[in-house]
Amino acid sequence: MTTDSSLRSGPGTTGRRNSSRDAGDGTAHGRLPGREHLPARQPGPAASPAPVLDVVVPVYNEEKDLRPCVVRLHGHLARTFPYPFRITVADNASTDATPAVAAVLAAELPGVRSVRLEEKGRGRALRTVWTASDAPVLAYMDVDLSTDLNALLPLVAPLISGHSDLAIGSRLTRSSRVVRGPKREFVSRAYNLILRSSLAAGFSDAQCGFKAVRREVAERLLPMVEDSGWFFDTELLVLAERAGLRIHEVPVDWIDDPDSTVHIVRTAAEDLKGVWRVGRALAVGALPLDRLARPFGDDPRDRALTGVERGLARQLVGFCAVGVLSTLFYLALYSLFRLGVGPQFANGGALLVSAVANTAANRRLTFGVRGRRGAARHQAQGLVVFAIGLALTSGSLAALGAASASRSHSTELAVLITANLAATVLRFLLLRAWVFPAGSHRAPDFEDVR
């Protein structure tokens, strides 16, 4: 219930303002800690319990809507939210009576404070307040309260429980109920389509003013976000998703504010510039997204399960990828050898060379075996597997020759492809159970397969 002037941003405030601090203690270069369920409110009297949730309401010249918004939000949280909370009004250099209204609200309502910034920009306001907040869960919502407040607890619950890293409200899911004009509906869907096609975004609604993030994630993520305006939260979400963080989506009920001061054309132009900038940075690898990696084992799917064999799916993917490349390599060699020798010699030579390469590739990529130890034995066993493949393919060619004296090159290739497909299944089973059995070598760790 105070007016905070210590968070005022000067002209030089940008998304890189914490770089010196990050470099100083070194913690920002490590992985994020594992997500944990935040402790419940302790019973008994408490003079001023630390807030679990800090809801930021960024405003610019909102003297009319600010008071009813904050009063309604405060009443809702007081009635329904089971943890201590704080509401922070972030004034973006308003020129009307908004700062005075915010100061009065901070004096009247417990858990409400106001912050004055001397520069405009929703992203700048969120970065400034979130960076200085002591609450473990940070959220924001638009002052018009277009989103039904009943979605607030479902929004932050996955962050409190440790299930997710970020949470967003979505107006574009099947169960969302939205009332807005066709112009804004078209712009919103077109923008999200652009994000999906250009940045491969998996989230459904980047622009809904209803989002939350865990504080330890924000501490690592905010210094990477350059935008200080409307593109801020889109950039935040794209970087988080690319880093592999978990984003929870909540369907919301949303009613458009007809008096919104957002300039659609100018905002869309700035957003497209942001999409180009972020896409280029991701393409050249200019962002240290590894700083946002969660430790291996944080997800229950990473934990060892007694009696359950692991790694089969990943090994199948690796084996198929190596198999496709090996088959193409084999067919190219066969076609080359066939120019000078008969089909049986061409097949044998092509199989022998491709088998050595296939065993080496599967040893390293599919089954995660490193170093030279056992390499000769693995190649010898691989040659036995090769002999089985040779018998299948050679037998197929012999059968083709017996069936038809005059055969085309394309017919030979078709028969060989069919025979190789049959041999592939047997090859994988032999490699997995005999050549590289589980437990006979070090299992690949998280760093190896990342």
Side-chain angles (χ1 to χ4, degrees), residues 87-163:
I87 299 173
T88 302
V89 179
D91 174 31
N92 290 135
S94 295
T95 57
D96 62 0
T98 297
V101 176
V104 172
L105 289 169
E108 291 180 354
L109 300 175
V112 176
R113 67 169 180 166
S114 65
V115 175
R116 169 73 177 181
L117 292 91
E118 301 301 334
E119 291 182 274
K120 293 177 61 177
R122 181 179 67 172
R124 178 176 288 106
L126 294 177
R127 178 186 292 114
T128 301
V129 177
W130 281 357
T131 300
S133 180
D134 59 345
V137 176
L138 311 170
Y140 94 89
M141 62 179 55
D142 293 334
V143 69
D144 55 22
L145 292 186
S146 295
T147 304
D148 183 12
L149 291 178
N150 287 328
L152 182 55
L153 184 55
L155 181 80
V156 301
L159 308 186
I160 293 175
S161 69
H163 175 272

Side-chain angles (χ1 to χ4, degrees), residues 25-43:
D25 59 19
T27 57
H29 297 283
R31 291 177 180 166
L32 283 166
R35 293 186 298 263
E36 296 182 355
H37 196 302
L38 298 176
R41 183 189 302 192
Q42 298 297 324

Side-chain angles (χ1 to χ4, degrees), residues 299-314:
D299 192 305
R301 292 171 296 182
D302 299 333
R303 299 169 190 162
L305 301 177
T306 304
V308 177
E309 190 174 7
R310 302 180 60 221
L312 177 60
R314 188 187 64 80

